[in-house]
Amino acid sequence: MAKLFHEYKNPSLAVDLVIFGYHDNTLSVLLLNRKEEPFKDCWTLPGGFLQMEETFLGTCYRILKTKTGMDDVFLEQLYSFDNPGRDPRGRVIAVGYYALINPARFNIIAGSMANDVKWFDVHKMPKLGFDHRDIFQLALQRLKSKILYDPVGFELLDELFTITELHELYECILETTIDRRNFRRKILDAEYVINTGTKREGLQNRHPELYKFNKKLKKNSFQINVNVS
Amino acid sequence: MAKLFHEYKNPSLAVDLVIFGYHDNTLSVLLLNRKEEPFKDCWTLPGGFLQMEETFLGTCYRILKTKTGMDDVFLEQLYSFDNPGRDPRGRVIAVGYYALINPARFNIIAGSMANDVKWFDVHKMPKLGFDHRDIFQLALQRLKSKILYDPVGFELLDELFTITELHELYECILETTIDRRNFRRKILDAEYVINTGTKREGLQNRHPELYKFNKKLKKNSFQINVNVS
DNA sequence: TTACTTCACGTTAAAATGACGCAAACAGGT
DNA sequence: ACCTGTTTGCGTCATTTTAACGTGAAGTAA
């Protein structure tokens, strides 16, 4: 080798996060308002550069911790983005991850945060800096297909939830109507959830039963069908 | 900023390819025997470093061209690998891609190549250098789940093929038996293929009809079911 | 009590699936 | 020309799954 291994010039490596939260029957994404160039005053996905000794997940948690105060959330790698023009400062590769969190767990609900960190309804997204719109859209698409066969919905809900709440979550994410009774049957037959025997008390009508996620659920044991548009 | 943007030290970025080929009812992967350290004389996936101005696909095609003489193949990004110890030379991030090719199109069939480039049956893989076994296994898993709902099988076959050939491909990749007649019905109902009206002549018994892939096939129009182990 | 809402559990017709049967088409031998 | 063995293409049918919808019990508010 003519040069030493690390003397070659390498692209920078960033990790960008699509953080999904569900609250008040709305699926939202957490965005940051940038204080520096490039894209100063633009909304962007939270992100950061990979440190030399860091893993992707290490970077993810560092971003989550410093910018939002969160930890211990569902994270999954999405895709790596290599468009040479995606960052005006130079060549930056972005590894996209998406997170599913329950905003209530972290006391960060829509509107309650600082001016520069905000939840946006996935249907009311502002213009995003970099190629973050592409990353966001891929993440949303991934989430939509994932909940059809993988029980990730509970990541967005409280520990205990009703079937109706799970049903509303599915309708919200998939942007379609799913028959209430067929949904219940499918979820119960698949043993997606476990009845806790308790009921939600309060202002509602008939008190619904509370369920929790069945952690022993085997993979691919259910498949929701929807009319894909 | 204290430093100029590109003065930060960055991990190197490599692209590694899992190249699948199907021949004689066998699914194989193309491996390279390394001539240099590290992993000298070990079998590894073809790979290369991302050049500063290059896209991932650019790197993929450069590797394909220089090491195997191929071009114009199906390629899809698989996953990015960040294990800090994966390359003994230092920190190297690998972006995995997998390719589906028809070996016959490139006159490279099992055994016909140089000593340092060879097809290996996916069931008879040698020990691999780096973390390439992980990359390979993820690619195989991806392929297995992908052919269940996405018509990628034809990428591995000739332009014209019989239903039986497609059926054998599915059984080979999924490592299971699928009822011949039910498979035919599903593939035809989904309009996965178009009957060309011609038949394969030759040494066989009843001459089977030749089909080609239906390029206008809409997404998610079929779903093969298998007994997952 | 009545009116209204949600929740839990059924019912039924239509569609999809899985497990087969069978005859036509072909090669090769007698 | 006839028989034999194999592959191919099409069909049948019992069972399962799905989609669409009914209904009464449990609760709140008036």
Side-chain angles (χ1 to χ4, degrees), chain A residues 77-116:
Chain A
Q77 191 184 112
L78 183 63
Y79 197 76
S80 296
F81 298 83
D82 66 341
N83 179 347
R86 60 176 298 284
D87 191 318
R89 292 169 294 185
R91 190 74 201 280
V92 181
I93 303 298
V95 181
Y97 272 73
Y98 70 101
L100 302 181
I101 73 153
N102 177 356
R105 271 188 57 206
F106 301 99
N107 287 329
I108 39 172
I109 54 172
S112 78
M113 303 189 71
N115 269 350
D116 57 346

Side-chain angles (χ1 to χ4, degrees), chain A residues 179-182 185-186 202-207 225:
Chain A
D179 184 271
R180 194 169 34 94
R181 294 144 292 187
N182 293 337
R185 179 166 30 133
K186 200 141 204 176
L203 307 176
Q204 21 231 324
N205 298 309
R206 179 171 177 173
H207 296 172
N225 300 300

